[in-house]
């Protein structure tokens, strides 16, 4: 009899499901190199395939939008298909294919395979999760083109009874495959590769399908289960904990069913209560903002009842395009966000390019203008990134500042400087912002007579703030607080640079924790500096999306948290269970812990003891605990 097996990955989309496993595999054979006809014939075949692929993408885009409209889901995933169309039309791709067909005398299929492979190879040389997702996009577009050329068999994922209610296991799924699975009403998605930032995860969250990504060994486990017979093919998926259980025991199934029933009821209650303010038990109001990557997310954020946008990542907007956006494009994007929250703050982080956020079009521009010597200069995490890049390319900085000013007709737009390490950087950006205001005011009658101070506060000049994400910024926090209108703590980068840990490294990334004793002291110092200067301070790193950190952050004095949209209902509910004064006393004791392990142990026990009964049934974490102890591959 087959034994129960547990696989651990990353929670891609919250939810709990069960069903028979279905394995999806695909082949990636290189097309024949030799052409079937003349170069002109192969080129005509490519152009026809390109047109058909664009038409298919347009249909998928319409379908994604219809799902969002019909089923009250977020349209965020539609941006994925828009990026597909941009790739299909990209002149770089078209020229590479044309060159191979006419100069190398190869088939259209081989030219497509080769061109997209070369582009993908360049991107994969950059260690970045954002760029990695672009690499997956290229692979999916290559599959579309090859199918249209008849050089690659279709995956054959038409809706069928075998898919309904199934747990689909694959290496990784393309967005077009995901749409087919959504239409077929599968129970859950499990992939060996990918992360919670992958397009599979985005679409799964869009359509409320539980998903686990990066579950190593699950494909082989699923194949073994199928080989053992129908009795062993039952899979349980917990997208919240990132756990997959194959051939679960009777005890595990009972625990799982209790957890699933509880979370179904709790999820409904949380969303009903999410429109209410997040008040601690002693009456402290904690504003819960949302992090956003595009204006397309505004529906999801509004549905989750955010108090505003605490972080709009400008680089994500740039990364979704094959060419640099124009000033009009950026203005429209920021204006859409500001309009979605007319009476709430919308915080725009200026472009944070460089290091692991490489933007090929920007890199090429900087090299062509002689602002950097080579593209590699932008990939060094200790080199050119964030505000350093903007101060090299002042035209790019000015463009974003003008866009923010134009979009600030309601007075709710704030501008934030990334990767600050010195006061001179703030002053230079402030100068650029004021010059942008003056330029826009000359175009807009009535603005030129308005006055402004060194800390922009007028309705047309966005409030200027800084990201606190470097040790230097923490050391200068008291000085910076007197020069800007707000702080936003970026725990992701602050943790990485304080602990000298590369988050992409599997060897040391497990030690990258905002609860580290060194980080606790840095966070405390930053909050104190902001409070003394009388400016608001928020935290927008991943720690804000994790409910167990809520009491820690409130105890540190934070009253603004910005998190992923899907995390808002649970975070608000957790906050409502916290006594702010007691949280402060708890953090005072927590600071005495000398090791990360000690801090983690106190946080976990505290969370289970004080909030576990609110957020999950008594033994609901059984599967997650078993996953951490028994993960196999």
């Amino acid at each position: 009899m087959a034994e129960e097996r547990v696989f651990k990955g990353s929670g891609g989309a919250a939810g709990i499901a069960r069903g028979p496993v279905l394995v999806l595999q695909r082949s990636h054979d290189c097309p024949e190199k030799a052409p079937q006809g003349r170069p002109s014939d192969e080129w005509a075949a490519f152009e026809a395939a390109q047109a058909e692929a664009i038409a298919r993408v347009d249909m998928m885009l319409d379908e994604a939008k219809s799902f969002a409209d019909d089923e009250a889901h977020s349209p965020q995933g539609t941006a994925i298909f828009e990026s597909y169309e941009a790739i299909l039309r990209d002149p770089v791709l078209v020229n590479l294919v044309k060159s191979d067909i006419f100069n190398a005398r190869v088939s259209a299929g081989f030219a497509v395979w080769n061109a997209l492979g070369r582009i993908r190879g360049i991107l994969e040389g950059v260690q970045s999760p954002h760029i990695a997702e672009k690499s997956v996009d290229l692979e999916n577009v290559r599959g579309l083109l090859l199918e249209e050329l008849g050089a690659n068999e279709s995956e054959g994922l038409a809706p069928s009874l075998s898919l309904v209610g199934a747990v689909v296991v694959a290496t990784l799924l393309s967005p077009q495959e995901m749409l087919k699975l959504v239409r077929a009403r599968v129970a859950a998605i499990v992939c060996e590769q990918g992360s919670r930032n992958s397009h599979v995860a985005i679409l799964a969250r869009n359509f409320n399908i539980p998903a686990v990504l990066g579950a190593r060994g699950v494909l082989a486990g699923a194949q073994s289960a199928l080989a053992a017979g129908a009795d062993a093919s039952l899979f349980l998926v917990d997208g919240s904990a990132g756990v997959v259980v194959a051939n679960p025991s009777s005890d595990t199934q009972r625990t799982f069913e209790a957890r699933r029933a509880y979370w179904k009821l709790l999820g409904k209650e949380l969303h009903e209560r999410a429109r209410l303010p997040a008040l601690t038990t002693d009456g402290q109001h904690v504003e819960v903002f949302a992090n956003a990557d595009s204006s397309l997310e505004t529906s999801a954020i509004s549905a989750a009842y955010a108090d505003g946008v605490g972080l709009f990542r400008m680089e994500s907007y740039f990364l979704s395009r094959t060419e640099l956006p124009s000033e009009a494009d950026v203005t429209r994007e920021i204006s859409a966000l500001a309009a979605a929250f007319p009476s709430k703050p919308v915080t725009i982080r200026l472009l944070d390019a460089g290091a692991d956020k490489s933007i090929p079009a920007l890199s090429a521009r900087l090299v062509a203008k002689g602002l950097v010597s080579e593209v590699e200069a932008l990939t060094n995490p200790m080199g050119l990134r964030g505000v350093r890049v903007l101060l090299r390319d002042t035209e790019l900085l000015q463009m974003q500042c003008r866009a923010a000013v134009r979009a600030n007709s309601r007075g709710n737009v704030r501008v934030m400087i990334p990767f600050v390490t010195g006061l001179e950087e703030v002053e230079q950006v402030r100068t650029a912002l004021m010059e942008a205001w003056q330029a826009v005011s000359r175009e807009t009658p009535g603005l030129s007579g308005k006055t402004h101070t060194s800390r922009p506060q007028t309705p047309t000049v966005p409030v200027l703030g800084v990201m606190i994400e470097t040790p230097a910024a923490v050391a200068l926090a008291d000085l910076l607080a007197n020069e800007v209108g707000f702080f936003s703590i970026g725990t992701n980068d602050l943790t990485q640079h304080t602990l000298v840990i590369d988050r992409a490294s599997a060897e040391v990334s497990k030690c990258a924790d905002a609860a580290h004793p060194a980080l606790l002291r840095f966070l405390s110092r930053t909050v104190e500096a902001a409070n003394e200067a009388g400016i608001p301070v928020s935290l927008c790193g991943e720690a804000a999306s994790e409910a167990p950190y809520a009491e820690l952050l409130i105890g540190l004095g934070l009253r603004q948290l910005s998190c992923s949209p899907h995390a808002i209902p649970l975070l608000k509910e957790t906050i409502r269970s916290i006594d702010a004064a007691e949280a402060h006393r708890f953090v005072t004791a927590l600071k005495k812990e000398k090791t990360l392990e000690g801090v983690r142990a106190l946080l976990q026990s505290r969370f289970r003891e004080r909030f576990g009964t609110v957020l999950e049934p008594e033994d609901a974490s059984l599967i997650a605990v078993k996953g951490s102890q028994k993960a196999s591959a």
Side-chain angles (χ1 to χ4, degrees):
M1 181 177 177
E3 294 184 357
E4 175 181 297
R5 297 185 68 189
V6 180
F7 302 90
K8 192 77 169 70
S10 299
I16 297 174
R18 61 178 290 155
V21 66
L22 187 150
V23 175
L24 172 66
Q25 290 181 299
R26 63 167 73 88
S27 63
H28 294 282
D29 296 330
C30 178
E32 288 290 333
K33 185 175 182 178
Q36 297 296 311
R38 297 172 301 176
S40 57
D41 297 330
E42 296 294 331
W43 176 244
F46 167 75
E47 289 187 308
Q50 180 192 35
E52 288 297 322
I54 289 172
R56 281 181 63 187
V57 169
D58 286 341
M59 290 177 63
M60 288 187 281
L61 178 59
D62 291 340
E63 187 175 6
K65 288 178 178 177
S66 70
F67 271 120
D69 293 339
D70 295 343
E71 303 189 14
H73 295 132
S74 157
Q76 176 191 0
T78 58
I80 297 168
F81 299 105
E82 290 171 348
S83 71
Y84 275 23
E85 184 162 339
I87 294 171
L88 285 164
R89 296 183 184 276
D90 194 327
V92 174
L93 168 63
V94 174
N95 289 336
L96 283 173
V97 171
K98 190 171 187 178
S99 176
D100 275 356
I101 288 175
F102 285 96
N103 297 331
R105 302 279 176 153
V106 299
S107 67
F110 185 86
V112 166
W113 175 277
N114 190 43
L116 283 165
R118 286 160 62 187
I119 297 172
R120 185 180 180 187
I122 294 171
L123 293 184
E124 289 179 341
V126 180
Q127 296 300 313
S128 161
H130 296 285
I131 299 303
E133 297 308 331
K134 288 294 171 187
S135 178
V136 173
D137 283 351
L138 293 172
E139 179 66 19
N140 292 331
V141 169
R142 180 160 70 176
L144 278 173
L145 283 171
L146 292 178
E147 283 182 25
E148 294 300 334
L149 286 165
N152 198 26
E153 291 187 4
S154 173
E155 302 302 334
L157 270 180
S160 67
L161 290 177
S162 63
L163 285 171
V164 177
V167 172
V168 175
V169 174
T171 303
L172 193 63
L173 293 166
S174 69
Q176 58 265 37
E177 291 166 341
M178 276 294 297
L179 275 183
K180 293 176 182 178
L181 295 176
V182 168
R183 194 165 54 238
R185 305 288 180 181
V186 300
I189 301 293
V190 181
C191 295
E192 282 216 345
Q193 298 177 8
S195 68
R196 65 170 294 98
N197 296 317
S198 65
H199 290 156
V200 174
I202 291 172
L203 286 171
R205 290 194 292 269
N206 245 26
F207 302 119
N208 294 326
I209 298 178
V212 174
L213 285 301
R216 294 183 180 180
V218 72
L219 196 59
Q223 291 167 332
S224 297
L226 289 172
D231 292 340
S233 66
L234 176 64
F235 269 49
L236 308 180
V237 177
D238 186 338
S240 304
V243 172
V244 182
V245 184
N247 189 37
S249 67
S250 298
D251 287 344
T252 298
Q253 289 189 55
R254 280 192 292 271
T255 300
F256 184 90
E257 286 303 321
R259 182 169 168 79
R260 182 165 70 159
Y262 182 85
W263 272 99
K264 184 176 181 180
L265 175 63
L266 180 61
K268 181 179 179 182
E269 292 177 353
L270 289 181
H271 280 278
E272 288 175 351
R273 290 166 55 82
R275 67 174 63 251
L276 302 174
L279 296 174
T280 63
T281 59
D282 53 347
Q284 293 286 313
H285 182 211
V286 179
E287 292 181 287
V288 179
F289 301 137
N291 297 337
D293 289 289
S294 83
S295 61
L296 288 171
E297 289 189 70
T298 54
S299 296
I301 296 169
S302 298
Y305 312 109
D307 294 318
V309 176
L311 171 66
F312 171 67
R313 303 179 181 94
M314 184 69 75
E315 62 276 5
S316 295
Y317 181 62
F318 275 63
L319 282 164
S320 68
R321 311 165 66 94
T322 55
E323 298 179 353
L324 293 179
S326 67
E327 184 173 322
D329 293 332
V330 177
T331 300
R332 280 192 295 270
E333 185 73 3
I334 300 176
S335 296
L337 277 172
F341 297 89
S343 59
K344 299 176 180 179
V346 172
T347 307
I348 308 299
R349 182 171 69 187
L350 295 172
L351 182 64
D352 185 12
D356 63 346
K357 301 172 185 176
S358 175
I359 301 171
L362 176 61
S363 300
R365 167 192 167 104
L366 293 172
V367 171
K369 294 177 68 174
L371 298 175
V372 299
S373 58
E374 54 185 9
V375 172
E376 285 71 16
L378 294 163
T379 63
N380 183 350
M382 301 297 176
L384 290 173
R385 68 160 288 189
V387 68
R388 297 172 180 173
V389 173
L390 297 176
L391 294 179
R392 290 270 180 120
D393 192 340
T394 54
E395 184 180 332
L396 181 65
L397 171 61
Q398 281 280 352
M399 179 270 278
Q400 294 173 75
C401 288
R402 287 192 299 269
V405 170
R406 287 196 173 93
N408 196 32
S409 59
R410 297 173 181 82
N412 62 330
V413 173
R414 309 193 304 177
V415 170
M416 185 160 61
I417 313 172
F419 211 68
V420 168
T421 58
L423 292 168
E424 64 278 7
E425 295 165 338
V426 175
E427 191 54 45
Q428 290 177 72
V429 174
R430 188 196 316 284
T431 299
L433 185 61
M434 298 313 300
E435 288 176 352
W437 183 86
Q438 291 167 355
V440 173
S441 69
R442 287 192 291 269
E443 303 169 6
T444 310
L447 287 184
S448 57
K450 294 190 176 182
T451 60
H452 47 267
T453 63
S454 61
R455 186 184 296 174
Q457 297 288 343
T458 74
T460 52
V461 182
V463 177
L464 184 64
V466 296
M467 286 284 289
I468 303 295
E469 54 187 339
T470 67
V474 175
L476 297 172
D478 57 331
L479 301 178
L480 288 168
N482 291 317
E483 298 298 325
V484 298
F486 66 94
F487 279 171
S488 184
I489 303 172
T491 50
N492 299 349
D493 269 310
L494 184 58
T495 301
Q496 175 172 260
H497 291 287
T498 300
L499 303 181
V500 197
I501 284 176
D502 182 356
R503 287 175 291 162
S505 170
E507 297 297 325
V508 294
S509 61
K510 63 181 180 180
C511 300
D513 194 324
H516 191 285
L519 268 296
L520 292 184
R521 283 156 177 75
F522 273 16
L523 295 177
S524 182
R525 183 183 300 177
T526 302
V527 173
E528 289 172 4
N531 290 341
E532 288 177 6
I535 64 171
V537 54
S538 65
L539 187 143
C540 63
E542 283 302 307
S545 295
E546 302 295 334
Y549 285 90
E551 188 176 24
L552 165 63
L553 300 178
I554 290 172
L556 284 167
L558 285 156
R559 295 296 181 267
Q560 293 182 348
L561 301 176
S562 189
C563 64
S564 301
H566 77 278
I568 291 176
L570 180 56
L571 178 59
K572 280 191 169 184
E573 190 69 15
T574 308
I575 291 169
R576 296 188 190 107
S577 301
I578 294 172
D579 181 291
E582 188 176 338
H584 176 71
R585 290 191 291 271
F586 170 60
V587 170
T588 300
L590 200 64
K591 288 179 183 178
K592 297 177 182 178
E593 282 295 322
K594 299 178 180 179
T595 65
L596 174 58
E597 290 74 16
V599 175
R600 279 175 172 168
L602 277 178
L603 278 177
Q604 290 169 0
S605 63
R606 176 83 165 186
F607 183 73
R608 292 294 178 197
E609 173 191 342
R610 305 228 24 247
F611 313 118
T613 55
V614 175
L615 300 176
E616 49 185 35
E618 200 168 311
D619 60 351
S621 61
L622 175 62
I623 294 176
V625 171
K626 290 173 71 175
S628 64
Q629 295 174 344
K630 191 183 172 185
S632 58

